Amino acid sequence: MNIINIEHIAKIYQVGSEEVHALRDVSLNIEKGEYVAIMGPSGSGKSTLMNILGCLDTPTKGLYNFTGVNVSQMNDNELANIRNKEIGFVFQTFNLLPRSDALHNVELPLIYAGISSHERKDKARLALDHVGLNDRMHHKPNELSGGQRQRVAIARALVTQPAIILADEPTGNLDTKTGEDIMALFNEIYEQGNTIILVTHEEYIAEHAERIIRIRDGMIEKDEHVKDRYIPKKNGFSKAD
Amino acid sequence: MKNFFIEFLEIFRIAFNAIRINKLRSTLTTLGIIIGIVAVTTMSTAIVGLREAFLTSISSLGSDVLYVSKVPWFAMGDWSLYRNRKNLTLEQYERLKDMINTYEAIAPTASSFGLNVKRKERSVISTVVYGTTEDFQRTSQIELEEGRFMSEMDVRAGRKVCMVGQDIVKELFPIESPVNKEIKINNIPFKIIGVMTKQGSGFLGSFSLDGMIIMPLKSLELFSDDIHRRLRIDVKVGDVDKLEDAKQEIISAMRIIRKVPYNKPDDFAVNQQEAFKQMYDQTVGIIAYAGIVITALSLFVGAIGIMNIMFVSVTERTKEIGIRKAIGAKTWSILLQFLTESALICLLGGVIGIIISFPLSLIINQFLPTTMPLPIVGLSLLISAFVGIISGFLPALKASRLNPVDALRYE
Ligand SMILES: Nc1ncnc2c1ncn2[C@@H]1O[C@H](COP(=O)(O)OP(=O)(O)O)[C@@H](O)[C@H]1O
Ligand SMILES: [Mg+2]
């Protein structure tokens, strides 16, 4: 089943009198359980594509079906609901709330989902445990290393058991060693049956994925499967359908 | 509903932390609100006090009593209109008494000012003395602490007897009972036959019977060459509902008695306590109006300040807004977050304002019988929160409408 189906998507930014075509005519299908890397040079439109896929932004043209639902025409609150429940976003700059501890940061999506405090804390602890941070629950972001911060962000993305995990250059702000650790975590999450799309411009990072999509100037240049699909042995962290 | 509550707890937590982190800034921002709330609470405390004092002052004027006089109490316009009027006379009083039916008591009342009262070596200067009849006890609702009020016999014979108020007693008879003792009024000996109970003083001291002496009308002639000059006729109607009818009856009768031609206006006035109330309400109205203007101005200035600081707050926290939106916060949630913050800041101002007003109200209480009215305290807090919501609205709207991608990009 396609989690993501986009057809002839375009995104045009108006900068003054000039039009910037960040994406021109992109079509794409992504199935449940896929591990996709999106590659391309800087400014090629990777982030723009990810933001649209993550329902943070809407395309100027084209159609976007997310889990079979047309989201291209949805209003802000409907999109917020999808972001909250179905999408786990991991950013290059972590984007944690600086004044909240790890636990509260991970709880946050559950608060907006209206889940009661007790259940919320249980789930957030479980997610932090999952990313190996059960001893850092009450540390604030500035008391954590870059790698740990990204783990908190990943826990926050996982805690709602979303349909898909989107990561825009998740290792971009980390050193090579820490980046590899984070990639190992993504592999693990993938092997548990989650669907992951990851943006990177490093070949060795992209090699973790089983499918690599290369974009240039807002268009898909190449889309190839580089590995066989991993068949999960046990039930994963993602939603059962 | 449960979902909303869960989210609102978070919203409240955020707002509370935001204020906690910027304690000084929040407090300074709320200065306008503080001043506004101090103005409205102290002003209303003072007004309540003025009202109390005023009501005490006019308590000797019965609400069911009409006061017939030459000149109205609150004469408006050209004074010369009244100057040429003829005095009321005792004869007119006698005729009025015969002609009207709707009354319980009717007393002609004259007064003399600035008399000196002596008891041995003690004395009181500048005393007000009323000369009237036995009916005055009922028209002015006088209660006696000791002794008796003057009788019809005392009045008719013009006996040199008198009733005294508490202030006089305090000065002249610090220890012994004044009843049946002699005092000298402008060196003429009078016997005290009664002591009036304490009325308490308002700020219109002249209306309090505490500092007065009351005696038979004829006896007053000893101190006044023309008692008619300030003669008035007090008519106790006995029923407030009949006041208007009684007034009409008196006016018709007086027009006949004083031979006012049908095409001329009255050459006398029928006053009532109500006139004082109106006068008072007008005066207080002006004070209250000034208070409201001051309050509104400072609240307005305060609101602008809050709006300004809330815009700053939204800008500072653009990234946070982006994060919250990215993980699912809805438009209304962000809106409510900032409205709550500005409402809380203003409530803080309101609370500080009330904390400042409280000792002020105690100071006012030294001069006027008053306390800070509780409804005003509640109202102040409501107003504060309301100002917060109004002034926070535009910044909150701006925050809620931020595009998540742009907000996340903000550094
Ligand atoms: N908000 C924006 N306003 C104007 N232009 C933008 C905006 N966001 C991205 N762009 C432009 O769109 C193009 C693609 O950007 P982006 O998707 O961020 O690229 P990448 O993530 O691949 O580096 C770039 O030319 C960029 O300058
Ligand atoms: Mg990018």
Side-chain angles (χ1 to χ4, degrees), chain A residues 94-112:
Chain A
F94 322 131
N95 283 340
L96 300 174
L97 295 183
R99 282 197 272 272
S100 300
D101 63 13
L103 188 66
H104 190 256
N105 264 294
V106 177
E107 267 184 77
L108 214 53
L110 300 176
I111 290 173
Y112 291 117

Side-chain angles (χ1 to χ4, degrees), chain A residues 85-155:
Chain A
K85 298 201 166 65
E86 307 291 350
I87 292 165
F89 220 112
V90 179
F91 302 90
Q92 180 178 352
T93 54
F94 322 131
N95 283 340
L96 300 174
L97 295 183
R99 282 197 272 272
S100 300
D101 63 13
L103 188 66
H104 190 256
N105 264 294
V106 177
E107 267 184 77
L108 214 53
L110 300 176
I111 290 173
Y112 291 117
I115 291 169
S116 66
S117 173
H118 191 74
E119 192 184 344
R120 216 158 66 200
K121 291 218 160 34
D122 282 350
K123 287 190 172 184
R125 279 198 198 96
L126 206 65
L128 279 168
D129 204 31
H130 192 74
V131 299
L133 280 181
N134 54 0
D135 54 344
R136 293 285 187 277
M137 306 261 180
H138 296 295
H139 289 235
K140 301 236 166 93
N142 63 2
E143 297 159 351
L144 295 169
S145 72
Q148 287 170 330
R149 287 182 208 183
Q150 197 59 298
R151 281 168 193 273
V152 174
I154 292 169

Side-chain angles (χ1 to χ4, degrees), chain A residues 13 15 20 22 41-49 168-169, chain B residues 406 409:
Chain A
Y13 291 109
V15 182
V20 178
S42 185
S44 56
K46 304 181 296 292
S47 292
T48 304
L49 179 60
D168 191 351
E169 304 203 37
Chain B
D406 295 338
R409 209 193 296 264

Side-chain angles (χ1 to χ4, degrees), chain B residues 70-85:
Chain B
K70 182 169 79 168
V71 174
W73 283 346
F74 299 105
M76 298 287 176
D78 195 352
W79 185 250
S80 64
L81 283 176
Y82 306 114
R83 202 178 47 203
N84 296 328
R85 288 184 176 180

